[in-house]
Amino acid sequence: MVKEKPASARDYADYLCKLFGTAEDGDFRVSRGVTFQITGDCTLRCSYCYENHKSCQSMTLETGKKIIDYILDLYEKDDGNFICKKTKGIVLDFIGGEPLLQAELIEKICDYFIAECWRKHIPIAPFSRISFATNGQLWFTPEAQHLFRKYHDMMSVTVSIDGVKELHDAFRVDKNGIGSFDTAYRAFQDGKKYGWYNSKMTFVPGSIQYIMPSIKMMVAEGCEVINCNFAYEPNYTRDDAAQIYSELRNLSNWLIETRCFSYISILEADIGTPNDPADDRNYCGGTGNMLAFAPDGKAYPCIRYAPISIGEEKASKVCFGDCHNGLYSTEQQRKVKEELDSITLTSQSTDECIHCPVARGCGWCSGYNYELYGTANKRYTGICYAHKARVLSACYYQNKRCLEIGDVEPKKIYLPQKEAEEIIGAELSEELFSLEKKAEEKEERIRGDSGR
Ligand code: SF4
Ligand code: SF4
């Protein structure tokens, strides 16, 4: 049976909501993410990195402790909407630059968090997680190894591998322009002993031709959950969409031929339906669901709004305060928070997106919207063609799999055939819609047989 979105592929917040039965009422206070940007520096110079304002500034342990104090105070006061006594666990997310430049600091902040939870009788440590993504270049340093040995049971670590070596080395280079794949790959192999098979690949127009070999590589590595997606920032063209469909169609054929049961997020079954009018939430967490602290202790909605990403001037307008003097203590800080909290799917979207027949799963980044337009309440839609091609590919995969293996249900194509034709051409569109019809007929036959 092909893997449904398994627990390990879910957001940890989503997982805790399900565990504590608050998923239906959308109460995400059960689990909150707090980001510690512990350094502004990095060992690599990846060409697509959105952090365009790196520095050598690092967080001090004193600041890290203040942030923990702030979080635990929120819990004890129990009068806010972010962390309160309904909170069962926190994801302590460490980010850089490269977080392992400060492995010792991560360890000390975690030590302090656990000791303070214990001392104050705050029962959230057992359900809390330590999480980060690393480029793997400092994996084997004594500090990093010490951290892994001590906390691996409560850690979720992703070594960022973009895909096959040729692709990875084209983008992820060091200061001298040398590719970083070999070191990252060794780190990834070593992380497997802790069960860290996590992968997250992000594709852009220049890397579409690597999607299939990269996913095949991760399947061969034993990854059962392969998270991969398209970057939000580029403006994808119709030609990109045709190429995406061709690549994902070939990948689908290979997955079916080899009877592969891995979960591949890019071909997920539940994307590509219209918006649910009853659910108007803003799915990007960067509008009030998270908090990110910069090395100096200043707080932002997420790292995408922090100075390392968008520069000091723009970031200062969305700063919530700091861990030394308090958050939301000025009129301006409260106003920013209120504005971000009020953003919904419809408030930021055009009519075309609100009524789009395949809207579900079409994402955005509120931080990038803010960087681009000066407001997070206006959605950038450069991903449109990539999303539509992804939806058509998911329909191809699910319907073909339904017919040939029979372990998934038919998937309805919500995009009008004429529009599909414009993207993938008449012949492939004909094939796609005929697969949908055959898969539905098969399903009806099965239903008829079992009803007899
Ligand atoms: S490793 Fe990460 S932070 Fe460093 S340059 Fe690459 S994408 Fe940016
Ligand atoms: S960006 Fe395009 S695919 Fe996404 S919701 Fe808007 S119209 Fe639909």
Side-chain angles (χ1 to χ4, degrees):
M1 185 82 173
V2 70
K3 289 203 178 302
E4 281 182 32
K5 196 169 192 173
S8 52
R10 280 193 204 122
D11 221 21
Y12 189 64
D14 186 20
Y15 176 71
L16 279 192
C17 284
K18 288 215 159 47
L19 193 64
F20 288 98
T22 63
E24 274 66 47
D25 55 15
D27 191 346
F28 291 102
R29 287 174 297 181
V30 162
S31 170
R32 293 296 198 188
V34 179
T35 301
F36 296 71
Q37 189 216 323
I38 44 180
T39 173
D41 202 0
C42 188
T43 44
L44 294 184
R45 295 291 178 267
C46 305
S47 54
Y48 52 64
C49 182
Y50 63 80
E51 294 182 347
N52 290 316
H53 302 265
K54 292 199 182 65
S55 72
C56 51
Q57 195 186 13
S58 299
M59 189 176 275
T60 62
L61 178 58
E62 193 213 344
T63 299
K65 286 181 173 178
K66 282 268 181 203
I67 298 168
I68 298 291
D69 291 343
Y70 172 73
I71 297 169
L72 298 183
D73 272 0
L74 288 181
Y75 182 90
E76 286 188 312
K77 281 188 194 143
D78 194 28
D79 59 0
N81 224 358
F82 184 60
I83 289 169
C84 59
K85 292 209 167 149
K86 286 204 165 180
T87 306
K88 306 292 182 194
I90 291 172
V91 179
L92 304 171
D93 185 29
F94 294 94
I95 198 167
E98 167 51 40
L100 286 182
L101 277 166
Q102 292 294 335
E104 210 180 325
L105 179 64
I106 296 177
E107 186 176 325
K108 286 184 177 156
I109 292 174
C110 295
D111 289 347
Y112 184 73
F113 170 70
I114 291 169
E116 284 298 282
C117 283
W118 179 257
R119 189 177 70 80
K120 295 181 167 193
H121 304 289
I122 295 178
I124 57 175
F127 287 107
S128 292
R129 304 286 295 165
I130 302 161
S131 149
F132 58 85
T134 167
N135 63 32
Q137 307 303 298
L138 300 172
W139 188 270
F140 294 100
T141 57
E143 295 82 4
Q145 289 296 309
H146 194 268
L147 171 69
F148 300 152
R149 274 196 302 275
K150 186 163 178 182
Y151 280 119
H152 63 89
D153 277 346
M154 59 185 292
M155 282 173 107
S156 167
V157 177
T158 303
V159 180
S160 302
I161 293 191
D162 284 353
V164 287
K165 180 174 164 65
E166 192 186 343
L167 165 65
H168 185 100
D169 282 349
F171 293 99
R172 299 181 77 91
V173 293
D174 68 13
K175 289 169 191 162
N176 302 314
I178 312 277
S180 61
F181 180 85
D182 293 338
T183 322
Y185 188 72
R186 277 197 296 278
F188 175 74
Q189 295 301 339
D190 189 61
K192 285 181 179 175
K193 68 176 180 244
Y194 298 122
W196 299 330
Y197 284 78
N198 308 339
S199 74
K200 189 172 186 308
M201 296 182 278
T202 304
F203 298 104
V204 293
S207 64
I208 295 166
Q209 72 271 32
Y210 294 106
I211 297 177
M212 177 158 163
S214 300
I215 292 178
K216 279 170 84 171
M217 180 185 91
M218 295 321 269
V219 170
E221 287 299 335
C223 296
E224 293 191 337
V225 174
I226 300 176
N227 286 309
C228 41
N229 225 323
F230 295 102
Y232 297 123
E233 291 87 349
N235 191 14
Y236 298 84
T237 63
R238 197 153 64 186
D239 286 349
D240 293 330
Q243 195 190 1
I244 289 169
Y245 184 78
S246 160
E247 188 72 9
L248 291 180
R249 181 179 171 279
N250 289 340
L251 174 68
S252 301
N253 290 340
W254 179 81
L255 291 168
I256 293 166
E257 269 161 38
T258 57
R259 299 296 192 259
C260 175
F261 296 105
S262 295
Y263 163 81
I264 317 280
S265 67
I266 212 163
L267 293 169
E268 210 170 322
D270 62 1
I271 59 166
T273 60
N275 282 319
D276 173 0
D279 185 0
D280 198 21
R281 275 177 293 174
N282 181 15
Y283 277 95
C284 168
T287 52
N289 277 334
M290 306 187 297
L291 262 188
F293 289 89
D296 58 3
K298 286 190 179 154
Y300 301 89
C302 95
I303 194 68
R304 202 62 182 75
Y305 294 82
I308 191 171
S309 304
I310 61 174
E312 205 55 70
E313 199 204 326
K314 281 186 181 168
S316 66
K317 295 183 185 138
V318 283
C319 180
F320 288 154
D322 66 73
C323 64
H324 305 285
N325 302 300
L327 272 66
Y328 319 117
S329 50
T330 69
E331 192 60 34
Q332 161 70 7
Q333 289 162 2
R334 285 192 292 274
K335 198 165 154 250
V336 170
K337 166 106 175 87
E338 220 170 273
E339 278 172 13
L340 290 175
D341 282 348
S342 68
I343 295 176
T344 62
L345 187 152
T346 45
S347 76
Q348 66 183 292
S349 303
T350 58
D351 275 357
E352 191 190 350
C353 288
I354 295 169
H355 303 296
C356 171
V358 293
R360 186 157 180 198
C362 183
W364 60 86
C365 166
S366 294
Y368 183 59
N369 291 344
Y370 172 71
E371 183 181 11
L372 198 62
Y373 300 122
T375 170
N377 199 15
K378 181 175 174 184
R379 179 170 161 190
Y380 171 70
T381 56
I383 201 163
C384 188
Y385 270 124
H387 177 69
K388 286 176 178 166
R390 181 185 166 208
V391 167
L392 295 177
S393 311
C395 292
Y396 177 88
Y397 176 57
Q398 300 293 333
N399 287 328
K400 191 157 190 203
R401 187 164 185 122
C402 169
L403 287 166
E404 295 197 9
I405 306 182
D407 61 350
V408 295
E409 290 181 0
K411 179 162 172 57
K412 182 171 161 53
I413 307 169
Y414 284 88
L415 200 69
Q417 187 157 1
K418 195 166 172 306
E419 213 181 325
E421 255 172 45
E422 282 165 15
I423 296 173
I424 60 176
E427 207 177 305
L428 289 177
S429 165
E430 188 60 41
E431 174 197 53
L432 179 66
F433 279 83
S434 132
L435 275 177
E436 180 203 30
K437 193 160 172 268
K438 285 185 196 150
E440 273 168 8
E441 285 167 0
K442 179 181 173 187
E443 182 77 357
E444 267 168 34
R445 269 199 313 278
I446 293 171
R447 260 193 246 124
D449 288 350
S450 62
R452 259 180 226 140

